[in-house]
């Protein structure tokens, strides 16, 4: 079974989550470890971490928006709006990955045995 497409999709998900979290490009490149050969990657762990990152981004954006709405003295509209857009993009990206995974699962289940 060729899992290279799944590995590529996981790498894209990790990169998108890292970019949305504001991590530098060098940290993203180091996280993939080169070719990925011989590395034991647990799909459940990777997917859960990615979902947790998206959740944290959304909670941070909601907090910034709430602080601005309540008139907190250190609230910044620009930062709140950018954070909300990052949260929206990361959610949409996660949704698309989920759709691809469901599609792949359905394709596998429809294969003749």
């Amino acid at each position: 079974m060729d899992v290279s497409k799944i590995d590529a999709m996981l790498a894209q998900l990790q990169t998108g989550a890292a970019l949305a979290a504001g991590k530098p490009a060098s940290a993203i490149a180091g996280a993939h470890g080169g070719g990925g050969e011989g590395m034991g990657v647990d799909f459940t762990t990777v997917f859960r971490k990615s979902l947790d990152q998206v959740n944290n981004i959304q909670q941070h954006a909601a907090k910034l928006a709430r602080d601005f709405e309540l008139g907190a003295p250190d609230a910044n509209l620009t930062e709140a709006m950018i954070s909300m857009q990052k949260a929206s993009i990361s959610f949409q990206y996660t949704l698309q990955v989920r759709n691809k995974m469901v599609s792949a699962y359905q394709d596998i289940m429809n294969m003749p045995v």
Side-chain angles (χ1 to χ4, degrees):
M1 179 179 189
D2 184 24
V3 295
S4 62
K5 290 184 180 181
I6 294 173
D7 288 339
M9 195 176 341
L10 284 174
Q12 288 177 347
L13 178 63
Q14 290 171 337
T15 302
L19 288 173
K23 293 183 181 175
S26 61
I28 296 168
H32 299 308
E37 295 289 326
M39 294 175 50
V41 177
D42 182 22
F43 175 76
T44 305
T45 303
V46 171
F47 197 64
R48 185 176 311 271
K49 285 181 182 179
S50 297
L51 289 176
D52 288 340
Q53 286 178 341
V54 170
N55 184 39
N56 290 338
I57 291 168
Q58 288 180 329
Q59 288 179 353
H60 179 68
K63 180 189 177 306
L64 290 176
R66 186 174 46 253
D67 288 348
F68 181 77
E69 290 170 357
L70 295 175
D74 60 339
N76 183 353
L77 176 61
T78 306
E79 185 179 345
M81 293 301 291
I82 290 172
S83 182
M84 290 173 62
Q85 285 299 314
K86 284 182 181 180
S88 175
I89 290 169
S90 64
F91 179 75
Q92 291 298 321
Y93 188 78
T94 303
L95 185 65
Q96 292 302 318
V97 170
R98 189 230 26 175
N99 290 344
K100 287 286 190 182
M101 294 303 296
V102 168
S103 175
Y105 174 78
Q106 289 173 344
D107 289 346
I108 291 169
M109 293 307 292
N110 289 331
M111 287 182 182
V113 177

